[in-house]
Amino acid sequence: MADELFVLGKDGNRDKQSVECVCGTIEAADDVFMGKKLHAAGKMSPHAHARVVSIDASKALAMDGVVDVIGPEDHPQWSDVLIYVGQPFCAVAATTLAIARRALEQIDVEYEIRPAATTPEAAMASNAPLVGIWPEGNTNVRTTIDRGDLDAGFAEADVITETSTGWSTRHQHHMIEGGNTTAWWNGDECYAWVSTQNPHSEHRGLAGAFGLKQNQVRVYTHGNGGGFGSGRYATQATAALLAKRTGQVVSYHSDRIENMHSGQQFATRADIKLGAKLDGTLTAIEYKYMSDQGANSRAPMTGTHNVPQSGFRCANARFEALGIATNTPPCWYYRCVAHPGGAWTFNQAMDDMAQELGMDPYEFRMKNWVTMDDDSPDESSPRPFSHATLREIGPRIAEAIGYDSKKHANGARMLPDGRYHGIAITGHMDHHGGLSSGRAAIVHLRGDGTGFINAGISRTGGGTVSSHCHIVAERLGMNYEDINVGDYGNTGVTADGGMQAGSTNATSTGAAFYVAASDAREQLFAQAASMFEPAVNAEDLDAAEGKIFQKADPTQFLTHAEVCARASRIIGHASNNWGSTLTRPVKGYGIGDNARQRVPCATGAEVAVDPDTGEVEILTLAYCTDIGRIFFKDGAYGQAEAGCDHVMAQAKFWDQTWDAATGRSLTADFLTHRFPTSLDLPIENYHPLLHEGDSAVGPFGGTGMGEPCAGNHSAIQCAIFNAIGAWPDRGPCEPWTVLKAMGKV
Amino acid sequence: MRQFSHINATTVDEAASALSGGNAAILAGGTDLLGIEKDFVLSTSPGTLVNIKTIPDMDAITDDGALKIGSLAKLSDIASSSTVMSKWASVAQGAKRVGTPQLRNMGTLGGNLAQECRCWYFRGADNYWNCFRKGGTLCFATVGNNTYNAILGGQVCFAVCPSDTAIPLTALGATVVTNKRSMPIEDLFVVLGTSLDDDEIITEVEVPAPASGTVQSFQKFAIRKSFDFAVASAAVSITLGDMGVSDCKIVLGGVAPVPWRATAAEDELTNGPINETTAAAAAAKATDGALKLTDNGWLVYEAQAMVKRAILAAA
């Protein structure tokens, strides 16, 4: 890749969309067509399990302003069998949103109430009612993986520990914007502004829902008020259906409670048996876990075991995953998907083992974290890691929080103010931030030497499109300021940018932009080569800092403006499938060999625990991700700081509490679900760090980085363990859970 | 929210007249009422909202020997008032711990005192739980999740009084003045809310000047410091004499349906010195009679911690 970089990682480059965001001019799905349109709202199941026997909408339809009401029989994606509170099954379109919401109250529904299982324990009971997502029961063995000889691993161990954890945090994602869609029809063509993380997928979904050809649909997405994995909703078809029936533009608005009952992070608990030598070498890992999937058979829980599977060197292991269905809202993707639960559970076992061995828990991890000497252990066929630097970033974390001078045995240090002191470092090899296939990109150079990129993605995370501009500018040797964002998230004119998920977009769509820019570069150099006197070969040229120059004599150059003025049009494009293949040799592997792209990440936390109240104060929080290469510096540090926020929120605040009798959320709003504000986050105590380990996979050696933070809330939990010598039995670590761990409750 | 008509009252009498009959509600800051309406918390809604912010001169904060705070005084003004802070600092401390700056800029003293509870079951959207407080037959917290419900004085409803200002005002012996009567602030609160009639409007709160040698403090424990309601709070008013504590009031918030006088703790503290030991002993007495439900036993520790800290902070 490039020997010298002029754009990537440069200080002072601003987010291309920051002005739109700050000024509020970025379009959101709810904000368009503010003139005449209908407004729609949905009626949600009040029951955890029921069948809709009848719907009488006559009173609602008689209200002034109510235009249409739809039910399960009308909607291509709805059912009359309701399996969780909050499941949509009815909607109203009216002249105002207030009328639509009032009309919902006037719809009489007769339900056939069915028995429900609203907790994992209830769902696993011998006489449990069927939740309704699997025909045979409420549990499902999702994954079993064996590595080496587990029995032999335990036989060679000097110490064996067994850890049974409580449930990790189940929570909602707290997007500022919920699921909104504004839809209309032009003849048999459907148009929709959608709040989504994946406009091209919604495009295909709408076509499928209405039996349309894909060229009969246009989806638009610009501003999207957050996603964190849950930025996909089922509101598109509802708005489109009402628009089709009424012949008008319809905006469907989901409210906060509806949003809170949509996709959630699942809760996980585990039974973990570890074997280790006295010197701290892990010899065996048996990791059995179960996750509450809610009412979703496809909840992505099986990544939970990735934390012990990929991050720790151990020849003998077994990983078993059990999915549990409950009559609660479906669990879907949350930032970093299953890693938070994996980290939360497995790090308890690691600390238990360290205590049994009498080793410092950070030293124990440093001894067992994988390195580039290891092949990725999570594949049957050997593959090298793209970069495995946990043992490099661990010391950076340790230095940032002053670990060596502050560490102590569990429960052994009290601060002068009477609070317990705790400190811990955890880390893992994250499976997110890698490459995923099927991304496409367009780069368009203008006659004055500037250019646009067209991106088939929304602005779900800050800075992604700006990262793409960095990649394109670097590849074309242009200045960052000369590459701007053309249209984006418009499926009619952009190439499919793929799902903004898995922290893959900067890299995966970035890889497509790398290839598209390479295509444009080839055209640019061909034009430039003919313009030099005497003419040169294109392969004798290079470009940087706004100049296209001869490699042999850089004083001989043309500007991009000079070249583009002579070129009829330069459009670079890519329909890319850049796999996880090596871009440089690693160990015995060569360029093009398959590799495992993983993102090393670690967090250090220093806490004070009040023994009177159970309150946990974060004194220091350091977080480091090895993102291989920094593309957009401000954006990358912004992600790292936001990562600290997520660590804090998961560890201390977010909590979805259910009423077990009804399966209804008791905390379905920002107040009770505890969305932390800046006053609740010790930003002044954050140490966001970035490491550039030069991944051997991906454009310019870079990886994605949004998600790996999420599993690192385990460091706070481990610091609490270090402080009080006991584990809170659930996440988040609310004061009452800490008091309980201390034996006070 | 459901439809309603809106009246801008210009006098207390006009507002009271509009409120009579029961199908109306007072709109002042609106930070509580509008949330209830937007979530369809109750089975019915008031047909009329009577805006009393248009009544002049009901937001004054004065000291004529006693502190007088108009019921429309904004919480942010109370929190920053030099008059309040001069002799009634714990009232300012209580006001400052209410909600966020935005909420304090909208919320009024009268509204903070008369606000509805925050019990998860009472607040369930779409009137999901028709609990005892709403006219039903059951307090659902007693059979459901009661992590934040009352440990003291629950009786038929285990929702807690959410007001932060009521706690120091009770400790300081405040009087609530309405268009119909004056009453000790203790009489304002009942297990199911307030004792106000449908057409009764809080117009002012009077707080006597503390006796010479009186110290005071308000302490609040909340999970988010930014704007959570109290998990537990405590206000103390302690008069010190030659022999130590000659008189004191200790009031708990967040753990009972009403501001809760911890008389056993007061007795424990009276006639002795204030130090770590006596504060801890008084705190241990503060939750005498606590009834722990399945999930709320931890509140005993939070309440005791707040009492101890309030005593020591005051001293």
Side-chain angles (χ1 to χ4, degrees):
Chain A
M1 292 300 170
D3 295 321
E4 189 175 5
L5 301 173
F6 295 92
V7 180
L8 302 186
K10 185 180 167 187
D11 284 318
N13 287 346
R14 208 168 63 175
D15 187 337
K16 296 288 186 184
Q17 296 162 322
S18 58
V19 174
E20 286 176 281
C21 290
V22 171
C23 296
T25 56
I26 194 167
E27 299 99 328
D30 226 15
D31 293 343
V32 296
F33 290 99
M34 294 306 287
K36 185 178 179 184
K37 65 177 178 181
L38 298 178
H39 300 264
K43 193 172 183 71
M44 307 295 138
S45 172
H47 301 294
H49 200 180
R51 185 177 71 84
V52 177
V53 176
S54 66
I55 297 174
D56 180 357
S58 55
K59 284 188 292 184
L61 286 166
M63 291 172 62
D64 284 345
V66 173
V67 178
D68 196 11
V69 178
I70 56 173
E73 70 281 5
D74 305 308
H75 197 292
Q77 297 167 337
W78 286 350
S79 168
D80 61 354
V81 177
L82 309 174
I83 56 173
Y84 62 92
V85 172
Q87 181 176 336
F89 69 95
C90 184
V92 172
T95 51
T96 71
L97 180 58
I99 292 173
R101 292 206 165 130
R102 261 178 242 139
L104 294 174
E105 211 183 13
Q106 299 303 315
I107 296 172
D108 295 320
V109 182
E110 182 185 352
Y111 301 97
E112 172 194 297
I113 308 296
R114 295 179 173 181
T118 62
T119 66
E121 292 77 15
M124 290 190 290
S126 58
N127 58 347
L130 274 182
V131 166
I133 65 171
W134 293 313
E136 302 298 330
N138 296 332
T139 60
N140 188 3
V141 176
R142 298 286 301 272
T143 302
T144 302
I145 298 172
D146 286 304
R147 180 198 305 163
D149 184 337
L150 191 64
D151 291 338
F154 283 118
E156 68 175 303
D158 297 316
V159 177
I160 294 173
T161 57
E162 295 189 49
T163 299
S164 289
T165 76
W167 290 97
S168 64
T169 307
R170 178 166 173 167
H171 59 79
Q172 224 281 337
H173 300 42
H174 289 306
M175 294 76 67
I176 294 171
E177 181 190 19
N180 300 319
T181 297
T182 297
W184 70 100
W185 291 73
N186 182 10
D188 58 359
E189 295 187 347
C190 179
Y191 297 75
W193 277 87
V194 182
S195 57
T196 179
Q197 294 179 239
N198 193 345
H200 283 269
S201 174
E202 310 306 355
H203 181 124
R204 294 187 290 271
L206 271 175
F210 292 97
L212 302 174
K213 296 175 181 173
Q214 290 190 19
N215 68 355
Q216 291 176 288
V217 176
R218 316 280 191 286
V219 166
Y220 308 91
T221 306
H222 280 181
N224 182 21
F228 310 120
S230 190
R232 301 184 67 195
Y233 301 88
T235 64
Q236 301 90 318
T238 306
L241 176 61
L242 287 165
K244 187 177 181 69
R245 286 163 59 103
T246 62
Q248 299 188 51
V249 180
V250 174
S251 275
Y252 184 96
H253 314 264
S254 67
D255 64 12
R256 182 55 52 193
I257 292 172
E258 182 179 346
N259 184 34
M260 286 283 185
H261 282 90
S262 63
Q264 301 196 339
Q265 166 70 330
F266 41 83
T268 296
R269 64 164 304 279
D271 297 309
I272 308 161
K273 185 176 177 183
L274 297 182
K277 296 279 197 184
L278 286 175
D279 68 357
T281 303
L282 278 171
T283 61
I285 298 172
E286 185 178 40
Y287 184 72
K288 297 179 178 178
Y289 65 100
M290 57 181 68
S291 298
D292 175 1
Q293 304 184 193
N296 180 16
S297 62
R298 294 178 293 128
M301 57 168 284
T302 53
T304 304
H305 59 256
N306 292 155
V307 171
Q309 185 187 28
S310 295
F312 298 90
R313 185 183 283 170
C314 184
N316 310 297
R318 181 178 176 85
F319 307 100
E320 285 183 16
L322 182 70
I324 306 167
T326 57
N327 290 111
T328 57
C331 292
W332 274 112
Y333 299 93
Y334 163 68
R335 203 172 194 183
C336 215
V337 192
H339 289 52
W344 196 84
T345 52
F346 190 69
N347 279 304
Q348 293 184 45
M350 289 295 285
D351 276 11
D352 283 348
M353 175 56 89
Q355 181 169 262
E356 198 65 25
L357 290 167
M359 280 185 79
D360 175 77
Y362 165 59
E363 183 187 337
F364 178 48
R365 286 174 174 80
M366 281 288 284
K367 185 174 184 66
N368 287 287
W369 276 332
V370 293
T371 72
M372 288 299 284
D373 292 335
D374 301 290
D375 278 334
S376 168
D378 51 339
E379 288 297 310
S380 52
S381 59
R383 292 187 186 186
F385 283 117
S386 56
H387 55 321
T389 51
L390 280 167
R391 298 192 198 191
E392 294 173 31
I393 64 176
R396 290 189 65 186
I397 292 289
E399 182 182 2
I401 65 173
Y403 185 83
D404 286 341
S405 63
K406 297 175 181 174
K407 65 184 179 182
H408 54 79
N410 297 327
R413 184 180 166 198
M414 194 162 269
L415 295 166
D417 62 10
R419 294 183 296 172
Y420 290 108
H421 174 271
I423 192 163
I425 297 172
T426 64
H428 66 279
M429 294 286 281
D430 205 277
H431 282 226
H432 305 96
L435 288 153
S436 65
S437 61
R439 310 298 175 105
I442 300 170
V443 174
H444 186 184
L445 297 187
R446 308 295 300 186
D448 63 353
T450 64
F452 286 118
I453 66 167
N454 280 18
I457 59 172
S458 66
R459 184 188 168 86
T460 296
T464 303
V465 180
S466 298
S467 292
H468 299 155
C469 289
H470 278 79
I471 290 169
V472 169
E474 187 71 60
R475 187 68 184 132
L476 289 170
M478 296 171 66
N479 294 312
Y480 175 67
E481 296 75 21
D482 291 334
I483 291 292
N484 214 336
V485 183
D487 204 355
Y488 61 104
N490 175 351
T491 62
V493 300
T494 62
D496 187 347
M499 175 73 166
Q500 277 186 278
S503 298
T504 59
N505 211 273
T507 316
S508 296
T509 312
F513 275 111
Y514 182 94
V515 175
S518 298
D519 183 17
R521 176 184 167 111
E522 194 173 313
Q523 300 169 51
L524 190 69
F525 281 15
Q527 177 65 43
S530 67
M531 292 169 62
F532 281 103
E533 292 289 345
V536 296
N537 293 321
E539 53 267 30
D540 295 328
L541 299 177
D542 202 347
E545 299 183 287
K547 297 172 183 172
I548 300 161
F549 56 86
Q550 297 180 21
K551 292 177 186 173
D553 181 5
T555 64
Q556 299 298 307
F557 68 87
L558 296 165
T559 66
H560 288 72
E562 290 170 328
V563 178
C564 287
R566 294 279 294 277
S568 55
R569 181 167 292 124
I570 295 176
I571 298 175
H573 60 86
S575 181
N576 186 50
N577 188 8
W578 187 327
S580 294
T581 52
L582 293 173
T583 56
R584 57 180 163 79
V586 170
K587 298 196 299 180
Y589 300 91
I591 293 173
D593 283 347
N594 285 329
R596 266 292 162 206
Q597 191 169 24
R598 296 286 178 257
V599 177
C601 57
T603 294
E606 182 187 15
V607 304
V609 179
D610 187 330
D612 295 330
T613 64
E615 183 173 38
V616 176
E617 182 185 0
I618 308 300
L619 303 175
T620 314
L621 185 66
Y623 166 63
C624 186
T625 308
D626 184 346
I627 62 171
R629 177 85 57 218
I630 296 173
F631 297 152
F632 171 33
K633 190 172 185 179
D634 279 4
Y637 274 99
Q639 287 283 351
E641 289 175 1
C644 291
D645 292 344
H646 267 246
V647 165
M648 285 287 303
Q650 287 180 93
K652 285 191 63 178
F653 297 115
W654 289 345
D655 191 9
Q656 185 63 266
T657 302
W658 306 96
D659 177 62
T662 60
R664 191 176 173 93
S665 170
L666 293 166
T667 55
D669 57 66
F670 277 173
L671 179 68
T672 54
H673 204 285
R674 295 205 196 91
F675 192 98
T677 73
S678 57
L679 292 175
D680 303 302
L681 300 169
I683 296 166
E684 66 279 8
N685 299 336
Y686 286 178
H687 298 273
L689 305 170
L690 295 178
H691 197 77
E692 291 188 278
D694 190 15
S695 167
V697 174
F700 293 109
T703 74
M705 64 168 298
E707 292 175 271
C709 63
N712 287 278
H713 67 313
S714 58
I716 293 176
Q717 173 207 23
C718 290
I720 294 170
F721 176 67
N722 181 236
I724 65 176
W727 295 107
D729 67 355
R730 70 186 290 275
C733 298
E734 291 168 298
W736 57 273
T737 67
V738 176
L739 289 175
K740 186 178 176 186
M742 296 172 72
K744 291 195 169 187
V745 178
Chain B
M1 66 178 72
R2 303 183 186 104
Q3 275 188 302
F4 56 85
S5 59
H6 182 270
I7 294 173
N8 287 325
T10 55
T11 67
V12 172
D13 287 345
E14 183 187 351
S17 175
L19 290 165
S20 64
N23 188 27
I26 295 172
L27 176 64
T31 58
D32 182 37
L33 176 67
L34 296 184
I36 289 174
E37 291 304 306
K38 284 181 176 178
D39 285 348
F40 296 84
V41 167
L42 303 172
S43 60
T44 60
S45 293
T48 303
L49 296 189
V50 182
N51 177 21
I52 63 170
K53 294 192 295 294
T54 44
I55 300 174
D57 303 326
M58 228 161 64
D59 60 353
I61 300 173
T62 60
D63 175 3
D64 63 358
L67 173 67
K68 295 184 177 179
I69 308 175
S71 67
L72 286 178
K74 290 178 181 173
L75 295 162
S76 54
D77 291 336
I78 297 169
S80 61
S81 165
S82 58
T83 301
V84 177
M85 286 190 280
S86 64
K87 284 179 276 189
W88 302 274
S90 61
V91 177
Q93 292 165 2
K96 192 171 184 177
R97 289 302 308 273
V98 176
T100 61
Q102 293 88 341
L103 289 167
R104 292 194 292 273
N105 285 336
M106 290 296 293
T108 64
L109 178 60
N112 189 256
L113 295 175
Q115 66 182 303
E116 258 300 354
C117 71
R118 288 282 161 180
C119 173
W120 286 341
Y121 291 94
F122 178 87
R123 288 271 172 175
D126 302 321
N127 186 34
Y128 191 76
W129 287 283
N130 185 37
C131 66
F132 193 91
R133 197 179 183 94
K134 295 179 181 176
T137 57
L138 180 65
C139 173
F140 288 92
T142 60
V143 294
N145 190 303
N146 45 58
T147 303
Y148 299 96
N149 288 89
I151 52 173
L152 292 161
Q155 301 177 17
V156 292
C157 169
F158 285 77
V160 301
C161 173
S163 173
D164 286 331
T165 58
I167 312 308
L169 287 170
T170 303
L172 292 171
T175 296
V176 172
V177 181
T178 75
N179 57 326
K180 291 186 169 184
R181 54 183 164 154
S182 292
M183 58 184 152
I185 192 167
E186 287 96 329
D187 293 349
L188 175 66
F189 295 101
V190 295
V191 169
L192 295 180
T194 72
S195 62
L196 296 171
D197 294 335
D198 289 340
D199 59 349
E200 191 169 15
I201 302 166
I202 299 172
T203 56
E204 189 174 75
V205 175
E206 294 182 8
V207 194
S212 175
T214 298
V215 293
Q216 56 190 287
S217 173
F218 172 75
Q219 298 287 315
K220 171 179 172 178
F221 181 69
I223 292 185
R224 278 175 309 186
K225 296 290 178 274
S226 59
F227 69 110
D228 271 346
F229 289 88
V231 165
S233 67
V236 299
S237 170
I238 303 169
T239 304
L240 299 169
D242 294 338
M243 303 297 291
V245 175
S246 61
D247 188 24
C248 74
K249 277 189 178 178
I250 299 174
V251 183
L252 295 175
V255 292
V258 300
W260 187 262
R261 279 283 297 277
T263 52
E266 294 170 1
D267 293 343
E268 180 71 27
L269 197 64
T270 302
N271 296 324
I274 294 179
N275 55 42
E276 281 273 338
T277 303
T278 59
K285 294 276 189 182
T287 52
D288 274 6
L291 172 66
K292 297 177 186 175
L293 303 174
T294 51
D295 309 307
N296 66 353
W298 66 296
L299 297 177
V300 168
Y301 294 93
E302 308 300 349
Q304 292 178 356
M306 292 305 103
V307 169
K308 179 182 174 186
R309 289 173 192 187
I311 292 170
L312 294 174

